[in-house]
Every structure is written in C-alpha cells, then in structure tokens.
Amino acid sequence: KAGVTQTPRYLIKTRGQQVTLSCSPISGHRSVSWYQQTPGQGLQFLFEYFSETQRNKGNFPGRFSGRQFSNSRSEMNVSTLELGDSALYLCASSLKSLRGVQDTQYFGPGTRLTVL
Amino acid sequence: AQKITQTQPGMFVQEKEAVTLDCTYDTSDQSYGLFWYKQPSSGEMIFLIYQGSYDEQNATEGRYSLNFQKARKSANLVISASQLGDSAMYFCAMRENTGNQFYFGTGTSLTVIP
C-alpha cells in the first residue's frame, strides 16, 4: 500500500507570495492533519480535516488555510508569505478522525518551504 | 503544562548497545495512546511503536520496546542493539480520548557511535 505522498518536496518563494501544498493520504484513510516543523518551535499542529470538514485548528493566523477533497486528498495554502513561514510542512493521515486513541498517524516526507 | 516532555535533547550510544529515550506525559484522561516516531535527517516521520493506556503489557516491535509506567506517567522508548541507522530524532506523542489532536514532545536526537 502506498504511503502518504506530498508535493512538491521543495519550494522556494519570496515574501508576499502565496503557496499551495498537496497531500495524498494512504488509501482508505479519511483524516489528514498538517504540521509545521521549525528548529525553534518544533512540531506544531496546523489543522485536521476529516470527510472534507476542518475538525480542528491549531494556533496559526488566518493566512494558513486548507481543504480536503472528496477523495481525501488535502491541500494547504499559505498566503502573504513571511520569512518565518520557512519550515518543513508535514502531512499525516489516519483511518479515522483524530478522536480514537489507537488511531495512528502516518506521515508523508514533508514539503520543505523556504521563503526569501 | 506541557503534554509531552522529553528531557534529553541529545543522546549518544555505542553501536550494538541498548539505549533508553525518556518521555513523560500529562493527562487526566483514563484512555489515551502513546506513540513514538523516528525522524531521520531526510525529514519523514516514521511510526515506531504504540502503547494504549489500558494495555497491560509493554509494547514491543522488533528492536523497539516501550517501557510504560502508568503511575509515573512515563513511556520510555528502549532501542536494543543500536545500529548506525538508528541515528535520528525521536519524538514521543500522545493522543487523549477526549482530545482533538496529537501532542508531540520536543524530540531527542540520538547519535549511534561506531
């Protein structure tokens, strides 16, 4: 079974631009979560989608948004990029929504975004 | 309060030796899950092992085992017979029954020395 895939793997943008990252979950997984990882802040939860609905959101500004499609694929968008948005963005999928303690999250390889 | 605490920013271990990575957690839920992930320099987070709060036995997966001490709220990862490929960041995580998200620790960087 194919794992979680993320595209693109690397991205370079300039301040003020916007960017869209894509995530395809493991087949059959309906929940997709996004995380931002930086050396200073560690892993931070962005949001979670389940059945095309945003179920949970972390403490990020409105410039960060996402959506999920009927095939469970998800996209994350960041508008008006800032230097501090440079990070590794990780997508994770699981079978069900985040409720359910046994539901393991499986991660993709990440998209490394650099903002110049 | 931090949900997950990993107090060892960096650890070194000799090849073929065992190593324990510490993790303590904070929750008032009776039902919760504990997870360990490995993140090599490539960036991908690799799921290693899971322990449920109601599991009576410690979880094991090959060379990985989880030393679960519920009363102490600790879930330490034990890697036996370390290999050079074990050099990576290791993250402890928790999901609560009533919570909405995964909580991750700050990670421990493990270096295996030949």
Side-chain angles (χ1 to χ4, degrees):
Chain A
K1 195 182 259 191
V4 179
T5 58
Q6 292 186 246
T7 56
R9 293 292 310 279
Y10 302 91
L11 208 48
I12 299 175
K13 292 285 187 179
T14 56
R15 278 182 300 174
Q17 287 187 308
Q18 75 165 20
V19 66
T20 299
L21 312 182
S22 180
C23 172
S24 292
I26 292 171
S27 177
H29 284 196
R30 297 170 64 190
S31 172
V32 173
S33 297
W34 289 89
Y35 294 85
Q36 181 196 66
Q37 186 178 29
T38 59
Q41 299 295 322
L43 265 167
Q44 292 187 284
F45 172 72
L46 279 157
F47 28 65
E48 181 237 350
Y49 286 87
F50 179 76
S51 292
E52 302 178 65
T53 303
Q54 186 181 90
R55 291 297 181 91
N56 305 293
K57 192 176 193 307
N59 190 25
F60 277 81
R63 300 186 297 107
F64 292 82
S65 63
R67 59 178 175 168
Q68 187 181 34
F69 302 95
S70 58
N71 61 359
S72 294
R73 189 177 70 86
S74 177
E75 287 182 348
M76 190 193 95
N77 185 75
V78 188
S79 62
T80 320
L81 283 166
E82 300 176 0
L83 295 179
D85 297 334
S86 294
L88 179 66
Y89 290 88
L90 291 163
C91 165
S93 78
S94 62
L95 268 174
K96 297 175 253 188
S97 178
L98 284 181
R99 301 179 194 276
V101 297
Q102 295 183 25
D103 197 23
T104 301
Q105 286 191 319
Y106 296 91
F107 284 79
T111 294
R112 195 167 293 278
L113 172 66
T114 302
V115 182
L116 302 175
Chain B
Q2 291 288 335
K3 288 281 188 181
I4 297 286
T5 302
Q6 293 181 257
T7 57
Q8 306 155 314
M11 291 279 286
F12 293 86
V13 64
Q14 206 74 37
E15 194 178 4
K16 300 180 185 177
E17 297 290 311
V19 63
T20 298
L21 307 184
D22 295 342
C23 172
T24 57
Y25 58 92
D26 180 32
T27 181
S28 55
D29 279 19
Q30 296 302 307
S31 177
Y32 50 89
L34 297 158
F35 304 78
W36 276 92
Y37 288 85
K38 171 185 177 182
Q39 187 179 40
S41 56
S42 59
E44 183 171 355
M45 298 277 281
I46 302 167
F47 166 69
L48 294 177
I49 195 166
Y50 163 81
Q51 177 85 43
S53 58
Y54 289 118
D55 294 340
E56 293 188 354
Q57 290 193 322
N58 288 340
T60 59
E61 288 287 348
R63 293 186 300 110
Y64 304 108
S65 61
L66 203 151
N67 184 0
F68 181 46
Q69 298 187 45
K70 197 169 182 177
R72 292 186 176 185
K73 293 190 175 178
S74 76
N76 298 338
L77 177 70
V78 180
I79 306 174
S80 63
S82 296
Q83 302 172 355
L84 295 179
D86 294 335
S87 293
M89 282 290 289
Y90 289 81
F91 291 91
C92 179
M94 175 179 68
R95 169 179 289 153
E96 298 169 310
N97 190 41
T98 56
N100 295 330
Q101 64 188 76
F102 253 60
Y103 298 97
F104 282 89
T106 51
T108 295
S109 175
L110 177 67
T111 302
V112 180
I113 304 167

